[in-house]
Amino acid sequence: MVAFLGELTNTAYAYLSAGLGAGLVTIGAGLGIGRIAANAMDGIARQPEATAKIQTAMIISAALIEGIALLSAVICLLLNLKA
Amino acid sequence: MTEHAAHTAAAETHGETLDIVHHLTDLHSVELPFIGKISLEPLHFQLGGLDLSITKPVIMMWVAGIILTLCLLIAFRGGKLLHNKFAQLLEVYILFVRNEVVYPIMGEKDGRRMLPFFLTVFFFILSMNILGMVPYGATATGNVNVTAGMAIIAFLVIQGMGIAKNGFIGHFKALLPSGLPAFVVPIMIPVELVGMLAKPFALCIRLFANMVAGHAVILAFLGLIFMAKSYILAPLPLAGVIFISLLEVFIAHLQAFIFTILTTLFTNMTMHPGH
């Protein structure tokens, strides 16, 4: 494994890190947005009359998390393009 | 299938690779039905070292502006909404932005004053996003410069409304929560300044990355067809492309909504600090 890594060029490392980074971003964003969605569902189930408010707040916080995730995704894209 | 598309397909089959990046950043030509590729190189000009060429996203922004102006001509006359079907469609969008986005966050008094700006932002972004799903169109918001411009305007409005409402000194004083211990203040000032700049930056990156990601996925699915080179397997990526395209139409609306609601939220935060 170590010998194999030694044969990789810097470009190969860039592509590798872009792919790994994209996967890690997906894990983080998925966990974060999943938590928001789960709690929003809980709230809606308890108080169906507050659905509209909960949905708006849910979309806003999901969008904020998504913004960070997409920033990292753009970094991965740049790694891919500039390598 | 036009001649150009067939040519592109042939080139990609020969080259064995589908150059996604080239498709996403193909800025210096516009394609039209029956006419083909029109080069935009003659429109290249610079101003004081800045490259201000007329590129594809700029053309698409003009198209979006023309479409919105036509919408107004069709749906409104003398400041009144007409009673045709198209006007009713627009009314649904406008009422949604007013009643679900601006009024609940800003209240009726400030909301009524700021509503034209938010409606403009919403419809401009929406039409630019939707243009990416029209054949021969391109998403102007898929270019980071366009979204950066939108974010700068949002930043100016957010800060400007705070200054207009609370005064220049009151606006910047409101950045720091009152009753803070003195030793925290030097730490909080840079933090708040970074937060001030990070909001429009996030707006810019979010819109740009969402639009680019959707189109990259569509191209990746189309690339599967050229990779497999099989009539039997072709329907599978095609189904994927159709699904992602429908998702893109939804994302186009969602991103316009999110840009608008976040701008509303941030503007309200600077106008009414402290809660």
Side-chain angles (χ1 to χ4, degrees):
Chain A
M1 183 66 189
V2 176
F4 167 71
L5 285 178
E7 287 165 17
L8 291 179
T9 58
N10 283 348
T11 318
Y13 274 124
Y15 282 127
L16 182 65
S17 57
L20 283 177
L24 288 172
V25 168
T26 316
I27 292 175
L31 283 175
I33 296 177
R35 273 188 65 84
I36 292 172
N39 289 337
M41 296 297 150
D42 266 5
I44 290 173
R46 277 164 214 257
Q47 268 185 307
E49 66 273 10
T51 305
K53 275 186 179 177
I54 293 174
Q55 259 172 356
T56 314
M58 179 183 83
I59 288 176
I60 291 171
S61 30
L64 289 173
I65 290 181
E66 192 198 44
I68 300 170
L70 284 170
L71 178 63
S72 329
V74 168
I75 292 172
C76 294
L77 194 69
L78 285 177
L79 266 178
N80 207 340
L81 299 189
K82 303 285 177 190
Chain B
M1 185 74 96
T2 63
E3 200 176 304
H4 170 70
H7 171 72
T8 316
E12 272 147 9
T13 325
H14 282 302
E16 295 288 334
T17 51
L18 180 69
D19 193 352
I20 289 177
V21 177
H22 176 72
H23 277 272
L24 292 176
T25 55
D26 184 19
L27 297 177
H28 291 287
S29 63
V30 172
E31 284 146 28
L32 284 176
F34 309 116
I35 298 171
K37 211 167 193 173
I38 299 174
S39 173
L40 294 174
E41 294 291 347
L43 296 172
H44 178 85
F45 72 99
Q46 288 200 329
L47 195 74
L50 273 177
D51 187 4
L52 294 178
S53 318
I54 307 299
T55 51
K56 199 175 186 178
V58 180
I59 301 276
M60 286 300 149
M61 277 166 74
W62 287 348
V63 172
I66 290 168
I67 288 173
L68 288 181
T69 316
L70 286 179
C71 286
L72 285 182
L73 290 178
I74 295 169
F76 293 90
R77 197 140 301 157
K80 283 264 193 293
L81 201 64
L82 298 179
H83 287 285
N84 52 33
K85 280 179 182 162
F86 186 72
Q88 284 174 354
L89 174 70
L90 276 186
E91 193 183 4
V92 171
Y93 279 99
I94 293 170
L95 283 182
F96 173 76
V97 173
R98 194 186 76 174
N99 294 343
E100 306 289 327
V101 177
V102 178
Y103 277 9
I105 292 175
M106 300 193 91
E108 289 219 4
K109 195 167 146 283
D110 288 330
R112 181 70 195 84
R113 273 169 59 208
M114 294 296 295
L115 192 58
F117 170 70
F118 294 126
L119 282 174
T120 312
V121 166
F122 179 80
F123 279 107
F124 192 46
I125 293 178
L126 179 64
S127 53
M128 282 196 291
N129 289 351
I130 290 286
L131 271 178
M133 301 314 296
V134 177
Y136 297 99
T139 321
T141 41
N143 188 299
V144 74
N145 304 303
V146 175
T147 55
M150 311 266 337
I152 289 170
I153 292 170
F155 175 75
L156 291 179
V157 167
I158 291 167
Q159 302 303 324
M161 284 313 288
I163 291 170
K165 184 93 178 171
N166 303 321
F168 192 77
I169 297 167
H171 170 64
F172 287 101
K173 236 170 84 181
L175 285 176
L176 289 173
S178 57
L180 218 58
F183 67 92
V184 196
V185 172
I187 307 170
M188 285 303 283
I189 289 174
V191 168
E192 290 290 340
L193 281 178
V194 167
M196 205 166 100
L197 295 172
K199 283 170 193 167
F201 182 70
L203 280 180
C204 155
I205 293 292
R206 180 179 303 115
L207 185 57
F208 157 70
N210 265 298
M211 298 326 288
V212 166
H215 288 263
V217 170
I218 289 179
L219 279 169
F221 266 115
L222 284 174
L224 283 181
I225 298 177
F226 294 112
M227 270 173 67
K229 286 180 196 155
S230 140
Y231 285 109
I232 303 159
L233 287 179
L236 286 173
L238 196 65
V241 168
I242 292 170
F243 170 70
I244 298 288
S245 298
L246 293 175
L247 195 69
E248 269 293 281
V249 175
F250 169 68
I251 298 264
H253 285 79
L254 186 73
Q255 288 310 315
F257 165 67
I258 284 181
F259 195 100
T260 316
I261 200 170
L262 287 179
T263 314
T264 320
L265 209 67
F266 296 150
T267 313
N268 188 54
M269 271 157 70
T270 54
M271 283 171 83
H272 305 107
H275 56 166

